[in-house]
Amino acid sequence: MIQKICLLEDEKDLSQMLCIYLEKAGYVVHTCSTIAEAEIFLNKDIAVWVVDVMLPDGNGLELIKRIKTKNKNAFVIIISAKGDCFDRVAGFEMGCDDYIAKPFLPAELVFRVDKRKKQMNGQEEKTEFFTINDYEVNIAKRMIMADGKRIDITSREFDILLFFIRHKGQAISREQLLNQVWGTDYYGNDRIVDNYIKNIRRKLPKLTIETIYGYGYRYNI
């Protein structure tokens, strides 16, 4: 299936160049220069959002939460010329999945999007399904069920949980989680992990995620 991308970038030359590269890679690209224009696509089948931070009608970070509310599995990449920790931390807290600092080569963006597409294709091919602590985990559909009802869990929370499950009983540092789930290019405060663990504990209270003070966490059966 050809994936659709919404590219929100107000620099016309950059937007055109990125669009050309993405279309050559086989993607359908919708370009926008303002948040107002991008909001039209919130109800569309958009697989990947590429969102600039500084826009004529506001901050692109404001849009991320709305994107995730409409489609929590949408992949959001932030692009920003500011390059400071605030953008990265705020973006990841709101649910973005990747970050690219300007200036960057268009090929890098294509690589990030291709990587996500391969991940999704791999997930679609998996049939792994198992139960832990009365929770039914479906890796192919990236879903967690309890008592026949789907639990509202974000893509990032699912990735964290899956990492814990595959390393049950092991001490996992915050840095290790950041590298494995967020990626090695994340340069924010590692305390963002604590917020995600707090949400996972609230949504999945039957799981036992032990805090290792000063280090990280351990998932115990």
Side-chain angles (χ1 to χ4, degrees):
M1 179 182 294
I2 297 177
Q3 290 189 318
K4 296 179 181 178
I5 299 173
C6 184
L7 172 60
L8 178 51
E9 169 58 64
D10 64 320
E11 295 182 33
K12 186 176 181 180
D13 291 342
L14 177 58
S15 179
Q16 289 178 343
M17 183 180 298
L18 294 177
C19 183
I20 289 172
Y21 272 76
L22 289 168
E23 288 180 342
K24 283 185 177 179
Y27 298 100
V28 174
V29 184
H30 301 284
T31 58
C32 306
S33 59
T34 65
I35 294 175
E37 291 177 2
E39 287 177 335
I40 298 173
F41 295 96
L42 287 175
N43 294 317
K44 305 293 184 180
D45 184 23
I46 302 295
V48 178
W49 289 77
V50 182
V51 181
D52 190 10
V53 173
M54 303 304 294
L55 295 161
D57 58 342
N59 191 312
L61 297 179
E62 301 170 358
L63 182 66
I64 296 175
K65 190 171 183 179
R66 279 176 273 170
I67 292 173
K68 289 294 187 176
T69 298
K70 290 289 186 179
N71 180 10
K72 61 186 176 184
N73 291 320
F75 193 74
V76 181
I77 301 174
I78 282 182
I79 55 177
S80 172
K82 296 177 71 175
D84 59 22
C85 291
F86 172 79
D87 279 346
R88 303 180 190 211
V89 173
F92 283 118
E93 286 179 342
M94 288 191 179
C96 90
D97 301 284
D98 206 346
Y99 180 99
I100 304 178
K102 294 180 182 178
F104 62 90
L105 296 174
E108 180 180 356
L109 176 60
V110 175
F111 172 80
R112 304 281 184 105
V113 176
D114 282 345
K115 182 179 179 181
R116 173 60 175 176
K117 183 178 180 181
K118 290 176 182 178
Q119 289 174 343
M120 293 303 295
N121 288 340
Q123 291 162 2
E124 291 172 356
E125 294 169 359
K126 291 178 181 177
T127 57
E128 192 173 356
F129 179 90
F130 53 88
T131 301
I132 54 167
N133 301 83
D134 298 326
Y135 297 114
E136 298 175 356
V137 181
N138 189 318
I139 293 188
K141 296 182 178 180
R142 294 178 64 81
M143 288 174 49
I144 299 179
M145 306 283 290
D147 299 324
K149 297 181 179 179
R150 182 173 179 173
I151 296 175
D152 184 19
I153 189 168
T154 68
S155 180
R156 182 81 67 189
E157 290 164 355
F158 187 91
D159 289 337
I160 293 172
L161 177 61
L162 200 57
F163 188 78
F164 274 129
I165 292 172
R166 288 172 173 170
H167 298 82
K168 55 182 178 290
Q170 298 181 25
I172 306 297
S173 68
R174 292 182 179 87
E175 182 180 2
Q176 189 176 359
L177 277 172
L178 285 174
N179 289 338
Q180 296 296 323
V181 179
W182 276 260
T184 55
D185 58 348
Y186 174 76
Y187 295 102
N189 191 320
D190 63 4
R191 291 294 173 174
I192 191 175
V193 173
D194 299 342
N195 293 331
Y196 277 88
I197 299 300
K198 180 180 178 180
N199 287 335
I200 292 173
R201 284 171 169 165
R202 175 175 54 82
K203 296 177 180 181
L204 305 168
K206 294 181 181 179
L207 293 184
T208 304
I209 300 177
E210 174 189 357
T211 298
I212 304 175
Y213 292 98
Y215 185 77
Y217 299 92
R218 179 190 294 113
Y219 165 65
N220 297 311
I221 296 179

